[in-house]
Amino acid sequence: MPYLTMTSRRTRWSRGWAAVLLAGALTLGGAAWQPVDAAPAAATGNGRPVSPPAPKPEPIKVTELPLPPVTPSTGEGACTPALNPHRTGCIGRSVDLQSGDFLPDGRHVTATVDFAGAPAAPDPASVYTGRQLIIVKTDGTTFPGGDAWKCVTCGVPDGNAVGRSEAMDYPQTFDDGRRLLAGTNIIDCGPHRLTSQACTPERTHIYPIRWNVTPDGSGPGGSIRELRLHPDNVHLGFNVATVTNGKFNQYGYLARLKFNPAPETGTPRAPRYDLVKVTRLFDPADTQPVSVDPRHPDRLRINPEAITVGELRGFSGSGREVTYVGYPGESSNIDVFAADLKTGKVRRLTAHPEYVDPVDISPDDRWTAVMDTRGTDRQMFLAGMRGIPPVTDLITTSATSSTRNNGQRRFFQPYLIDRYGDRGSYQGQRINAAGDGSPGSVNDPEWNGRADPKWSPDGTSIVYWQALTVPPACGGHNPLPCRPSTAPGGRTARMMIARLTSRTPLRPKPVAPISDTVPWGTPYVPGSPTPARPYPPQGTYTLKGKKSGSAKVTITENAGRTIISTVAVSYTNYSDDGARILNGTEKVGVQNPTPTLNKVDWYSDLVQTGRDGRVHGTKKSSPDGFHLTIDVLTNFFQATGTLTTTLDGRAYTQPANDT
């Protein structure tokens, strides 16, 4: 049950992330899209939960932020004084950008870039090479040297960076303005703010972060990824990829950062940050999303309140909640959730049937910024029919989430959603909707959003970044044409800032340190084995609809009885809401030739009717079934047969292979 997604920079991991939609609160054109009221309660009226009305569209102004000049060649010395008279470096067309957090003043943002074309040493400009962290001005001003950006890590002496990792992904800021988190490093300028002239390379230190995984504290520590700084600036969330029972899996963790100036165990034996008081955000004894009813061993039960942290994505602005990609609330629908770190109360942040995972919650916890494929119809063939219970998802989530991408082609665009989530016809507001869709415009569909959008401390701006679709995700046999870049120097990545111009700035409030203890988590013991996620054992069960009918569910395990291999479901007048009635069958089998490769055999013949008896939706595979092969690390869609969802006469079909 590996409900997870894998993210990428270059070839390490791959994540998913283009139609031009109307500005404002979106609707998807008529009755084809089936809304669902899955938002949490905002108030109580007559004893019943009530969600507030959807917010009205607000004015948003999107502009591009400056980056270093582009060199047409990455060869040594190609970044000439003519390209950059300030001798402060160039980037290539393939800049490998990743935007990050705002600094506490709200006038600077962090970004990771690849410098290229630097001259050879001992030229002072030789330090502007390779993967580095920069700070970019957002207010149109420049640093004293005349650039709108400053490189923070360029030229840091080797002695100030013992044990650092090369990865500099997901740059995030500490509230003191003196430190940054990037990859598994913390960049520290001592008493000086990172933006000041006093913060020089000689005064900057890069400290590695180490997670101890051995009982005696020896060795280099465990491999961690997708780090997220908690708003208290004391704790850190991270993810750990693993293989359990031959299948790729992942868990989220929470830990306290502790500076260790003189380590006596483990490597590196240099000043570093150790992760202590580590908690795995998972309890194998806790209720799972799909389980056997202990009072009725022949029945299954679904618990939408189960905490299912597949991939940790961050924290709420107040720090009270952890955000994550969780087990689907509806079949094949991958959403983001938030769970209270104390109480375990779960909120479903999104409910649209398209795919989402990059997410950031505003400082006041009232708004969510996401990167989502909604509006592209990319996932509708799988998830468009609403209200199907998430039963086949016991084995399909790795495969269904992987269909969101075409290799490095993302289908994400940025959206703004209020705290109460998708409900009725409200599906959020597209942040970059105001444009004509022409090449290079803010809503050019070939500029695809990437992770992660980030809020400014005062809640009035959101920074995000995009990448242009390039071969082989366009051109050649791919029917999507390749558009030339209109960005400066022809670069294929850009950093954008969205200003919410009608908002009153918030007054940032410091977040008090949270407890090291997460009551619903499991304290991590170094050297302990990684648990497998529990699942209902092999057998035939009944799943009762909340309003009517039932489903017969047959679960078959593999020969070793270590994982589920097949789930078959037969619905008879099944309904959880009383408005949609489901009949028909669905059977899915999954094999994993390697831990990351999914071979899926999918047979579907579902019919959904309304209370009036009219058919509103079908989900059908071709007579020989739908057969998908996809790897969670590469996301190249390869299928034979078809799987089609039709809603009120509109058919949603699968992507073509390699598109």
Side-chain angles (χ1 to χ4, degrees):
M1 187 165 39
Y3 27 93
L4 58 100
T5 61
M6 299 314 301
T7 301
S8 91
R9 187 180 76 79
R10 291 178 177 167
T11 57
R12 289 189 181 89
W13 305 100
S14 120
R15 174 193 316 278
W17 294 214
V20 178
L21 302 178
L22 296 176
L26 301 175
T27 57
L28 292 187
W33 186 79
Q34 298 176 327
V36 60
D37 291 320
T44 301
N46 299 323
R48 298 183 64 185
V50 177
S51 292
K56 295 180 179 179
E58 61 181 289
I60 302 176
K61 181 181 180 181
V62 179
T63 56
E64 185 174 350
L65 292 175
L67 290 172
V70 176
T71 172
S73 169
T74 59
E76 186 178 279
C79 182
T80 64
L83 287 172
N84 186 346
H86 298 148
R87 306 300 311 283
T88 50
C90 299
I91 56 178
R93 289 194 178 104
S94 298
V95 57
D96 207 8
L97 171 72
Q98 184 166 47
S99 70
D101 228 343
F102 283 86
L103 268 68
D105 61 13
R107 299 191 302 273
H108 302 82
V109 296
T110 59
T112 304
V113 299
D114 278 356
F115 281 93
D123 190 308
S126 64
V127 300
Y128 296 97
T129 187
R131 193 108 180 117
Q132 304 288 354
L133 186 71
I134 65 173
I135 295 173
V136 178
K137 294 270 191 178
T138 65
D139 58 2
T141 63
T142 62
F143 287 95
D147 293 317
W149 52 273
K150 171 188 176 179
C151 185
V152 176
T153 54
C154 296
V156 173
D158 291 343
N160 289 9
V162 178
R164 65 165 287 186
S165 72
E166 291 304 313
M168 302 287 282
D169 51 338
Y170 298 99
Q172 297 156 68
T173 61
F174 287 78
D175 287 344
D176 56 21
R178 300 181 290 105
R179 293 176 295 162
L180 293 172
L181 168 72
T184 54
N185 307 292
I186 290 179
I187 296 94
D188 190 324
C189 208
H192 307 292
R193 291 187 177 274
L194 293 155
T195 54
S196 75
Q197 285 184 281
C199 183
T200 62
E202 293 74 23
R203 290 170 172 164
T204 302
H205 289 79
I206 303 177
Y207 299 116
I209 298 172
R210 182 180 183 275
W211 174 42
N212 180 47
V213 294
T214 58
D216 62 359
S218 62
S223 177
I224 59 178
R225 60 181 300 274
E226 295 275 344
L227 282 64
R228 298 295 188 278
L229 183 64
H230 189 274
D232 69 2
N233 286 227
V234 174
H235 290 86
L236 184 74
F238 61 94
N239 294 282
V240 176
T242 184
V243 175
T244 52
N245 296 325
K247 192 174 180 70
F248 204 86
N249 204 348
Q250 184 172 217
Y251 290 96
Y253 292 75
L254 180 74
R256 175 180 283 265
L257 284 163
K258 182 180 180 181
F259 184 66
N260 188 346
E264 297 181 356
T265 60
T267 56
R269 295 288 178 91
R272 70 190 189 210
Y273 278 85
D274 290 333
L275 296 176
V276 300
K277 305 292 185 181
V278 182
T279 299
R280 182 184 293 122
L281 299 178
F282 171 75
D283 182 357
D286 196 13
T287 303
Q288 295 303 299
V290 181
S291 61
V292 177
D293 188 337
R295 297 175 299 175
H296 303 281
D298 60 341
R299 296 184 188 177
L300 290 181
R301 61 180 184 181
I302 294 176
N303 179 17
E305 301 299 318
I307 307 172
T308 58
V309 181
E311 181 171 89
L312 183 146
R313 300 304 302 147
F315 301 93
S316 61
S318 66
R320 289 191 292 265
E321 297 171 306
V322 60
T323 60
Y324 59 92
V325 180
Y327 189 84
E330 301 167 88
S331 187
S332 301
N333 189 353
I334 308 297
D335 287 312
V336 284
F337 299 80
D340 191 289
L341 286 165
K342 285 184 179 179
T343 67
K345 181 176 176 59
V346 173
R347 285 196 299 135
R348 185 178 176 183
L349 301 180
T350 59
H352 193 283
E354 287 290 344
Y355 179 90
V356 60
D357 76 42
V359 58
D360 195 39
I361 295 179
S362 62
D364 61 1
D365 288 351
R366 295 179 60 188
W367 296 87
T368 303
V370 300
M371 286 289 179
D372 200 302
T373 67
R374 61 183 65 193
T376 69
D377 295 344
R378 180 76 181 179
Q379 302 289 103
M380 293 292 285
F381 79 104
L382 285 166
M385 182 182 287
R386 312 307 300 272
I388 302 177
V391 179
T392 57
D393 304 81
L394 288 164
I395 58 174
T396 60
T397 51
S398 290
T400 55
S401 64
S402 298
T403 62
R404 70 198 182 276
N405 294 343
N406 172 26
Q408 287 299 309
R409 169 80 193 279
R410 307 300 195 249
F411 295 87
F412 284 151
Q413 294 296 346
Y415 287 84
L416 180 67
I417 306 170
D418 77 353
R419 175 180 174 83
Y420 304 101
D422 301 300
R423 57 197 185 275
S425 63
Y426 174 68
Q427 302 158 50
Q429 179 176 351
R430 181 163 164 178
I431 289 171
N432 62 339
D436 59 8
S438 62
S441 62
V442 296
N443 63 345
D444 179 351
E446 300 316 314
W447 283 92
N448 306 141
R450 308 294 289 262
D452 278 350
K454 286 292 184 180
W455 285 89
S456 64
D458 68 0
T460 64
S461 298
I462 299 166
V463 67
Y464 64 95
W465 67 285
Q466 296 175 307
L468 180 67
T469 304
V470 297
C474 62
H477 76 280
N478 195 309
L480 183 71
C482 294
R483 288 185 176 181
S485 174
T486 59
R491 56 177 158 79
T492 57
R494 65 185 187 183
M495 186 160 56
M496 314 297 284
I497 186 168
R499 292 182 170 88
L500 312 180
T501 56
S502 65
R503 296 199 175 195
T504 302
L506 303 170
R507 289 186 177 182
K509 298 179 181 179
V511 174
I514 60 171
S515 171
D516 294 328
T517 301
V518 181
W520 48 266
T522 303
Y524 172 73
V525 178
S528 60
T530 303
R533 296 186 186 269
Y535 59 82
Q538 180 169 295
T540 299
Y541 305 92
T542 298
L543 175 66
K544 295 284 189 180
K546 294 178 182 178
K547 293 295 184 179
S548 69
S550 63
K552 177 183 177 182
V553 182
T554 300
I555 294 173
T556 305
E557 296 174 272
N558 64 354
R561 304 292 292 270
T562 57
I563 58 173
I564 298 174
S565 60
T566 306
V567 177
V569 193
S570 178
Y571 296 96
T572 303
N573 296 326
Y574 182 96
S575 179
D576 280 332
D577 60 9
R580 293 168 292 207
I581 300 169
L582 187 62
N583 284 279
T585 60
E586 195 159 43
K587 180 179 180 180
V588 184
V590 177
Q591 302 176 54
N592 295 102
T594 68
T596 62
L597 182 64
N598 293 275
K599 298 187 71 173
V600 183
D601 300 306
W602 199 310
Y603 302 87
S604 186
D605 187 9
L606 299 178
V607 177
Q608 196 171 64
T609 57
R611 282 176 292 194
D612 56 5
R614 292 190 302 114
V615 174
H616 292 282
T618 62
K619 183 178 180 182
K620 294 181 180 290
S621 59
S622 53
D624 57 345
F626 169 67
H627 308 280
L628 172 68
T629 299
I630 197 162
D631 193 297
V632 300
L633 301 186
T634 56
N635 304 150
F636 290 112
F637 189 95
Q638 289 289 330
T640 60
T642 62
L643 183 63
T644 303
T645 292
T646 303
L647 305 175
D648 290 331
R650 180 176 176 181
Y652 295 94
T653 58
Q654 71 213 48
N657 288 345
D658 295 321
T659 65

